[in-house]
Amino acid sequence: MSTTASAKNGTWRNWGGTVTARPAREVTPASVEELTAAVRRAAEDGLTVKAVGSGHSFTSIAATDGVLIRPQLLTGIRNIDRDAMTVTVESGTPLKRLNMALAREGLSLTNMGDIMEQTVSGATSTGTHGSGRESASIAAQIRGLELVLADGSVLTCSEKENPDVFAAARIGLGALGIVTAITFAVEPVFLLTAREEPMPFDEVTGRFDEFWAENEHFEFYWFPHTASTNTKRNNRSAGPERPVKPLAGWFDDEFVANGLWQVANMVGRAVPSTVPTIAQISTRAWSSRTYTDIPYKVFTSTRRVRFVEMEYAIPRAALVDTLRELKAMVDRSKFRISYPVEVRTAPADDITLSTASGRDSAYIAVHMFRGTPYQAYFTEAERIFTAHEGRPHWGKVNTRDAEYFAGVYPRFGEFTALRDRLDPDRRFQNDYLRRVLGS
């Protein structure tokens, strides 16, 4: 099964199946020069322009009825600077390809999200993140960007060059220009020891501050309709390397986590009353395991079962109260939720519209199996998240508008003013950006 978005008969669809678009034309540039020409031609024809990555956003952030830019020919590493410890990579490069190439060079990103199917530009432009006590989102590891602007010019930015653009464009939502290359900070490849362990909900919430303080990367999953969680602690290790054994890894991560999980969700979708029982059985299938490997093999996993997701960042101090409110809401509702709730953290960063901008953050992600009604559950969850000044992930389902974002992002006006300067004619506009940024 493909893990990317699809296009049939001129219609583009995202991975989750929540968004379709019929662009006037598609362009697959093989160089920055071809991309600038496509942007200039779109302006001549009065068309808007959007670049798409792998389609892993659940929102319509990349949808357009104008010119759709496909970046699959803009891939590969441009340069590795071992003195500065940076790597410059073309924007359409999948994270998987980047991670594997870096590992061959004895290098690694410091932190990453939990899948690596996205392109580097799509992942960073929407604020994709993992979990970390000190290490932040993928975008926070950016040291330089190259952008094609609305007038077809190419702009480079960093902390020293066009710093106002750099502050915003690291998570630019596709609103400021089309990213063509990204320079990331890297470090010598290292080992992580992962410790996965089931734990009661009340214990993990009661000891959350302790777990957060004691581990470089702490995250957990709570299964609705149960009082059980599965925790994961990732910490740097001196070794030796002890990867998951191939057969055990295939059984746990492919057969159980994808094959049986697909079947279980299909049963739950067909007969919703079975969902609580399936959840109880699923939690009993969890077992503890410990393994040591290079970062991308510990941080990321394969997700073949398709779902729809909403995720909000809240102040880290509000996590436990928010999560308990979510559990109480689910417990008293008639919802049948087959997918776990994922909890992660990130330190404050200095990116204008990062979900962790200026505040230590915790993330709560709610999911529903593709094809099941999710709106009512997400509406109730969103009501709880917004009561705690939540900031939705830019690539995941939300119903917020520019007025709301202006209230939860102190630097929101800084971003929209920059957008007015860089894209006054709204060449990169679409319905989603009109809602979240204003017109």
Side-chain angles (χ1 to χ4, degrees), residues 196 230 232 243-261 289 291 297-298 300-305:
E196 299 176 6
N230 200 26
K232 185 175 182 182
V244 176
K245 290 183 173 63
L247 182 59
W250 174 85
F251 183 81
D252 289 342
D253 302 326
E254 194 57 52
F255 180 70
V256 175
N258 284 297
L260 284 182
W261 186 236
R289 66 175 182 175
Y291 52 96
K297 294 183 180 180
V298 173
T300 70
S301 56
T302 302
R303 303 275 177 86
R304 300 192 198 284
V305 184

Side-chain angles (χ1 to χ4, degrees), residues 379-399:
T379 296
E380 290 302 311
E382 190 173 40
R383 189 171 289 133
I384 292 168
F385 300 149
T386 54
H388 292 278
E389 299 186 336
R391 298 168 177 172
H393 188 300
W394 296 106
K396 297 176 184 177
V397 175
N398 71 84
T399 65

